Amino acid sequence: MADPLLTLSGVHTHIGPYHILQGVDLVVPRGGVSVLLGRNGAGKSTTLRTIMGLLKPSRGEIRFDGRLIGGTPTPAISRAGIAYVPENMGVFSDLTVGENMQLAATQGAFDATRLSWIKALFPPIATFWEKPAGTLSGGQKQMLAVARAIIEPRRLILIDEPSKGLAPAIVTAMTRALGELKETDTTILLVEQNFAMASALGDTVSVMDDGRVVHAGDMAELSGDAGMQERLMGLSLEVHQ
Amino acid sequence: MSETAIRPKLVAASAGDRLRKAAPLLLAPVMALAGLIAIADPATWLTLTVAGLAMGLMIFIMASGLTVVFGLMDVINFGHGAFVSVGAFVGFTVLAWLAGWTENPAVIMNLAAVFLAILASMAVTGVLGLAFERVIVAPVYGHHLKQILVTMGGLIVAQQLIHVVWGPDAIHVARPQSLRGSVIVFDAVIEKYRLFAVAIGLVLFLGMRHVLRSTKVGLLVRAGVENGEMVEALGYRIRRLFLVVFMVGSALAGLGGVMWGLYNETITAHMGSDLMVLVFIVVIIGGLGSIEGCFIGALLVGLLSNYMTFLAPKVALVSTIALMVGVLMWRPEGLYPVVKAK
Amino acid sequence: MIDRLLSGDRPNSRPLALVLIVIALALAFAPFLFPGTKSLDTAARICIFIVLVASYDLLLGYTGIVSFAHTMFFGIGAYGVALSLSALGASFTAILVGVLGGTAVAGALALAIGLFSLRVKAIFFAMVTLAVASAFAVLVSQLSTITGGEDGLTYRIPRVLTPAFKLLDMRILDVRIDGRLLAYYLVFVSALVLFLGLLRIVNSPFGRTLKAVRDNAFRAEAIGYRVIWYRTAATVLSACVAALAGALLAIWIRYTGPATTLSMEIMIDILLMVVIGGMGTMYGAMIGATLFILAQTYLQSLMGAAEHATGMLPLIPDLVAPERWLMWLGVLFIVSVYFFPDGVVGRLRSRG
């Protein structure tokens, strides 16, 4: 794990009077999918929002590709090459699918090959290009949110619970799409509660509880070790069992 | 099996849904029709309707900036009226300098004078908006109570500064030659200036619509109104966008001030804060943050005010309040509530 | 005893306590300390505005909502008494009818506005109250057959409260003990009772809930408080007290018109008094109202002197002219909101 892409060391974040992150240490190696597991309220989404600069860390260091980014404004972090798919998907429902994609393409014009690859990955993007994004179904919105994040090559993509609230069939499709994305050498930090999806995609895994990372290791190790799963699952996945 | 899951399908908007969205569009024609029935005399009705449209469009110009500023940054500017007043006074000053042009019978000279006055007042109020945002609004982001208080303070100071520069008295503004008097259309007496105001208002509305729908800045504004965080996460600096919108909104208020000054032919330092009452009613009717709602609300208020001034002059302003109450009973967040993703 | 009167809400600062005691004593003995019609009138206005501003503080400082309709309620109280005295003649019954009627109307209107506009967004309330209050003011000046329009109403009050009435045929400390003195003490005692009543309200469980709602409406709702109910109740209470203050003004100046009760200028004065005195403190109302009215009455002549002194300079005389005092207040207001949101009271407390 030499020269990781993203490291958080001892990061604390407060939201109003609440102390949510209490010293998060997290390492995201270059390439592959890092999964962040943990039960509701463990601080996973807050971790992503802190990395993205939407919340200011009160203490600790965040390094992206060696550069300190803690406390940098969100647009600068985005332009440094981090894309973000929030839990609520952040789709602009008043804009059409095409306009949503257009705003995500910060360079101005679309890369035609990339766009057709995305349209193949997520067919509804092509079909509903002219429709307001607000009229899409939940799964389609999720696809649009991910498509927006990858319309231009990014170095790191933060995805917050892409399986949340989706039908099993759509989760399978989403897993396949993310799997294909993984082949393109993009690094993904994935927050997920669905263990099937997490273990299918993940290379490394960190488990959070009470605002800290309580376990970090290989996904394969966790998938293969029932006892460890039991111990950590108790923390993280009881809701889904 | 996953193939079926992602096969494109769109939830068709139900007829009821579509009606819900379109219903507010019908309000202005319905109001006009109701006016026709109540007034009974078509010529009088036409005069009043043009007056109402002119008034509504001028209010829309003033209100549009306020509502977008709120939608984008959740900032409510109670000092917005100051830009209206300042705009009117700057416009008056320019028109007074150009007295030779305005007293000239040539239409083109008159229009040139008015446009120069508008440009000057938009420039001044735009810059003033920049200063206002930096000095007064910026330190109180995310705090409604302080925003209301501080912008109110800004309004007081601005009004007093108008007194310092232009004196405390109301000033008479003369319309340029070719905008004086009226024309007769279908037996109805229609002031030329009102037609001019309607034309300017419509051009501005269409222009604004074009910018919001078809330019990147417009898309960003609309996206920012819904979810500012996500706009930032895509790499855009929303603060800078907001500053631009604030300046444009202030400049539009200044433009509205010039137009209103020429309409009323009298300007005072507190005309802006007086107009804010109507502006707020319009913004509330439309739904805070919604430009289409603001447009419809402005037309409704303009028409209703003029009809009521004819039918029952004493309760004209009260009737607009009643209209607001009625709309809010029907839709508690206004005609077009802005969807906030939070 | 004093602690009970203050509902346990002590000034908690020696300088603050000192200032408050000076104000209270000065008002209590104003007729004897500052003889003369103008100073007695100033003292009575201070009493009335302390109540008016304190009732506004209940809304702004304790509940965290901005209303622009406070002068409307103030005016309703004043017009209640004015109309009733004009119609029923100068009697205490007429005053009672006017006070009760005005307060009831103010309370009912506040209830309607509160239920109507507080349920959506607190920010609606500020805009809706501004619109309603302006419309009300216009309506009052239009309905001149009832309200006297812009000219307002002049009426007689019970003779016991006029200078013509002699209570004692002697002078105390060279002050005549007449009906005017009685009227002053009617104003003073009413104001005192109302102020202590407000102090009691904000220190009651109800008042503490208001603060909880102000600080975190979402959380208060989650714990089970009906936020809208508390906000509306505070609105109604503050409106009723404002109406009572209006009634006092109507009795004291024997005239009621739009300029003295309904104008936006008075609304802005109230805002300035609350913010400069200190929001959410109640005592801020005492200090804010006293400072403001003293300044309004006496400082402007000082500015006139400054205008003369700087007469040779460009622009400066314009800026220090007495008419410009509102501008400097505006600046002071903005600066206070930024840097001293606790106002004078907060400053004094941080020292004591």
Side-chain angles (χ1 to χ4, degrees):
Chain A
M1 241 187 239
D3 186 23
L5 183 62
L6 177 79
T7 46
L8 278 71
S9 25
V11 171
H12 289 252
T13 301
H14 290 79
I15 301 179
Y18 308 107
H19 192 174
I20 309 284
L21 299 189
Q22 312 190 355
V24 171
D25 298 299
L26 179 71
V27 177
V28 177
R30 285 172 199 274
V33 175
S34 299
V35 177
L36 196 53
L37 292 172
R39 63 182 169 82
N40 282 329
K44 306 180 301 286
S45 295
T46 306
T47 303
L48 293 196
R49 291 171 61 76
T50 306
I51 296 169
M52 206 57 216
L54 295 167
L55 294 168
K56 285 216 181 334
S58 43
R59 220 158 10 116
E61 247 185 39
I62 305 176
R63 260 176 211 282
F64 177 63
D65 201 15
R67 265 175 47 213
L68 281 174
I69 58 163
T72 315
T74 303
I77 292 175
S78 163
R79 284 171 188 269
I82 305 184
Y84 174 53
V85 180
E87 203 176 350
N88 63 10
M89 302 177 279
V91 162
F92 305 123
S93 54
D94 195 29
L95 273 53
T96 64
V97 170
E99 288 167 342
N100 267 277
M101 296 295 285
Q102 214 178 315
L103 287 188
T106 44
Q107 305 302 324
F110 292 117
D111 173 345
T113 356
R114 206 170 170 89
L115 186 60
S116 46
W117 169 62
I118 288 175
K119 285 177 174 172
L121 211 52
F122 302 117
I125 301 291
T127 321
F128 299 132
W129 191 258
E130 301 282 338
K131 297 283 179 203
T135 57
L136 298 179
S137 71
Q140 290 161 348
K141 278 184 188 157
Q142 191 61 261
M143 290 175 202
L144 172 57
V146 175
R148 260 187 347 192
I150 60 177
I151 183 66
E152 282 169 358
R154 304 281 180 200
R155 310 182 57 193
L156 172 65
I157 302 176
L158 313 175
I159 308 182
D160 201 345
E161 283 207 56
S163 75
K164 193 184 177 194
L166 301 189
I170 302 184
V171 174
T172 315
M174 184 60 79
T175 309
R176 234 192 21 192
L178 292 180
E180 202 171 311
L181 181 62
K182 186 177 158 181
E183 302 305 312
T184 61
D185 268 345
T186 313
T187 309
I188 300 176
L189 175 56
L190 178 68
V191 163
E192 194 46 80
Q193 299 229 32
N194 180 324
F195 193 66
M197 186 174 190
S199 56
L201 289 169
D203 300 308
T204 64
V205 62
S206 304
V207 181
M208 287 188 76
D209 195 40
D210 280 339
R212 287 193 190 82
V213 172
V214 292
H215 168 87
D218 283 345
M219 193 74 217
E221 182 196 358
L222 183 62
S223 304
D225 187 337
M228 186 192 282
Q229 268 182 41
E230 182 74 13
R231 192 158 49 80
L232 295 168
M233 299 297 128
L235 295 173
S236 62
L237 299 167
E238 57 196 2
V239 194
H240 284 266
Q241 293 304 303
Chain B
M1 121 195 158
S2 60
E3 289 307 319
T4 55
I6 56 169
R7 177 172 303 157
K9 67 169 181 287
L10 190 69
V11 195
S14 71
D17 238 32
R18 248 176 285 167
L19 189 67
R20 246 187 71 80
K21 223 171 149 55
L25 295 174
L26 298 174
L27 285 180
V30 167
M31 172 82 72
L33 196 66
L36 181 58
I37 294 166
I39 292 160
D41 173 28
T44 313
W45 173 81
L46 188 58
T47 306
L48 292 172
T49 302
V50 172
L53 290 178
M55 175 176 165
L57 285 165
M58 282 188 279
I59 298 220
F60 166 72
I61 293 170
M62 299 175 213
S64 55
L66 190 79
T67 200
V68 178
V69 160
F70 180 84
L72 201 55
M73 293 303 269
D74 204 24
V75 164
I76 191 77
N77 179 10
F78 272 71
H80 195 69
F83 304 125
V84 174
S85 300
V86 170
F89 276 87
V90 171
F92 154 77
T93 306
V94 172
L95 284 177
W97 283 339
L98 300 177
W101 296 17
T102 56
E103 295 307 320
N104 197 306
V107 178
I108 190 84
M109 294 295 267
N110 292 172
L111 290 184
V114 171
F115 281 117
L116 277 179
I118 285 176
L119 274 182
S121 70
M122 286 182 81
V124 171
T125 48
V127 172
L128 202 65
L130 176 76
F132 207 84
E133 201 279 337
R134 296 271 91 162
V135 179
I136 306 223
V137 182
V140 287
Y141 268 127
H143 202 304
H144 277 163
L145 188 105
K146 286 191 174 179
Q147 278 168 18
I148 297 175
L149 296 179
V150 158
T151 52
M152 202 75 197
L155 174 70
I156 297 172
V157 174
Q159 282 185 354
Q160 292 294 314
L161 283 174
I162 292 179
H163 283 317
V164 172
V165 178
W166 284 282
D169 300 321
I171 293 179
H172 172 77
V173 183
R175 286 180 199 162
Q177 278 274 324
S178 49
L179 293 176
R180 291 176 202 162
S182 350
V183 289
I184 310 275
V185 183
F186 300 121
D187 291 342
V189 183
I190 293 174
E191 278 186 38
K192 285 186 203 161
Y193 181 73
R194 287 181 179 162
L195 290 174
F196 175 73
V198 170
I200 298 251
L202 280 179
V203 167
L204 268 168
F205 173 65
L206 293 176
M208 237 182 269
R209 235 168 74 117
H210 172 77
V211 168
L212 283 173
R213 291 200 174 175
S214 325
T215 68
K216 186 140 188 175
V217 173
L219 290 184
L220 280 174
V221 169
R222 280 165 59 208
V225 166
E226 184 176 342
N227 190 341
E229 256 183 14
M230 198 59 220
V231 170
E232 292 224 284
L234 289 177
Y236 301 97
R237 272 173 284 181
I238 202 158
R239 282 288 287 113
R240 223 174 47 179
L241 181 68
F242 174 65
L243 197 58
V244 171
V245 171
F246 199 98
M247 286 179 67
V248 172
S250 310
L252 284 174
L255 163 61
V258 179
M259 307 265 301
W260 193 267
L262 285 169
Y263 176 65
N264 251 359
E265 297 182 280
T266 308
I267 55 175
T268 62
H270 53 84
M271 64 182 273
S273 50
D274 295 346
L275 279 164
M276 283 310 279
V277 174
L278 288 178
V279 166
F280 279 149
I281 292 176
V282 161
V283 168
I284 291 177
I285 288 179
L288 285 171
S290 161
I291 199 102
E292 290 90 354
C294 177
F295 180 70
I296 295 174
L299 292 186
L300 290 178
V301 165
L303 289 175
L304 182 67
S305 301
N306 278 278
Y307 294 154
M308 290 310 283
T309 308
F310 175 76
L311 293 168
K314 289 192 176 174
V315 294
L317 186 55
V318 178
S319 71
T320 58
I321 303 251
L323 174 70
M324 174 178 80
V325 171
V327 167
L328 290 187
M329 301 270 222
W330 177 39
R331 294 196 173 170
E333 304 223 21
L335 293 178
Y336 288 112
V338 169
V339 200
K340 279 270 174 197
K342 252 169 237 168
Chain C
M1 160 69 179
I2 287 185
D3 213 33
R4 289 240 339 254
L5 273 178
L6 300 181
S7 311
D9 188 352
R10 289 188 225 159
N12 275 334
S13 138
R14 196 176 294 255
L16 175 60
L18 204 67
V19 172
L20 294 175
I21 289 170
V22 168
I23 294 176
L25 288 179
L27 289 175
F29 300 106
F32 305 100
L33 293 172
F34 318 103
T37 322
K38 186 180 175 188
S39 42
L40 191 63
D41 189 54
T42 308
R45 277 175 194 278
I46 290 175
C47 290
I48 292 166
F49 270 87
I50 286 175
V51 175
L52 183 61
V53 173
S55 64
Y56 191 66
D57 195 23
L58 173 66
L59 212 54
L60 183 70
Y62 287 87
T63 320
I65 46 185
V66 185
S67 161
F68 287 100
H70 212 60
T71 44
M72 177 173 82
F73 300 126
F74 184 56
I76 289 175
Y79 273 98
V81 169
L83 289 172
S84 144
L85 279 173
S86 312
L88 304 177
S91 70
F92 281 99
T93 325
I95 290 184
L96 192 68
V97 168
V99 167
L100 291 179
T103 311
V105 170
L109 197 53
L111 182 70
I113 297 178
L115 285 178
F116 180 69
S117 54
L118 283 171
R119 80 198 148 120
V120 187
K121 279 188 188 120
I123 197 147
F124 258 40
F125 189 73
M127 299 162 82
V128 169
T129 50
L130 184 78
V132 170
S134 310
F136 186 83
V138 171
L139 193 65
V140 165
S141 57
Q142 298 271 353
L143 299 176
S144 49
T145 44
I146 307 170
T147 60
E150 287 294 330
D151 296 335
L153 297 165
T154 312
Y155 39 86
R156 294 192 312 121
I157 59 172
R159 187 166 173 277
V160 190
L161 299 176
T162 60
F165 175 76
K166 301 265 181 300
L167 184 66
L168 296 172
D169 222 2
M170 52 177 271
R171 289 167 169 247
I172 298 178
L173 297 172
D174 209 27
V175 174
R176 291 195 326 175
I177 308 304
D178 60 7
R180 194 70 180 147
L181 192 77
L182 278 185
Y184 177 76
Y185 279 104
L186 174 71
V187 169
F188 174 77
V189 172
S190 309
L192 185 68
V193 169
L194 286 170
F195 183 78
L196 292 177
L198 283 168
L199 207 53
R200 175 131 306 178
I201 289 171
V202 297
N203 287 292
S204 68
F206 172 75
R208 281 190 289 277
T209 312
L210 283 186
K211 283 198 243 182
V213 168
R214 173 196 67 187
D215 294 336
N216 194 338
F218 186 70
R219 189 153 164 264
E221 187 88 55
I223 302 172
Y225 291 114
R226 293 273 293 138
V227 166
I228 175 165
W229 191 90
Y230 280 93
R231 285 186 174 152
T232 307
T235 308
V236 172
L237 262 174
S238 98
C240 289
V241 179
L244 290 172
L248 289 179
L249 183 78
I251 296 168
W252 177 253
I253 61 176
R254 287 173 282 174
Y255 161 79
T256 295
T260 54
T261 55
L262 291 172
S263 75
M264 208 20 97
E265 280 77 26
I266 297 180
M267 190 61 242
I268 286 170
D269 290 352
I270 297 175
L271 269 171
L272 291 166
M273 291 184 227
V274 171
V275 169
I276 290 167
M279 288 182 269
T281 61
M282 278 297 147
Y283 295 117
M286 267 178 84
I287 294 182
T290 308
L291 280 180
F292 188 93
I293 292 177
L294 285 180
Q296 198 174 33
T297 319
Y298 300 105
L299 187 72
Q300 294 193 38
S301 45
L302 214 72
M303 291 180 72
E307 185 189 11
H308 274 289
T310 55
M312 305 300 290
L313 305 168
L315 200 65
I316 307 266
D318 270 340
L319 291 172
V320 297
E323 303 91 275
R324 290 293 84 76
W325 97 296
L326 194 56
M327 182 178 83
W328 295 110
L329 277 176
V331 173
L332 180 65
F333 180 76
I334 297 172
V335 171
S336 331
V337 174
Y338 284 157
F339 302 109
F340 321 108
D342 305 328
V344 177
V345 167
R347 289 273 104 181
L348 289 177
R349 273 190 176 151
S350 65
R351 273 169 195 223

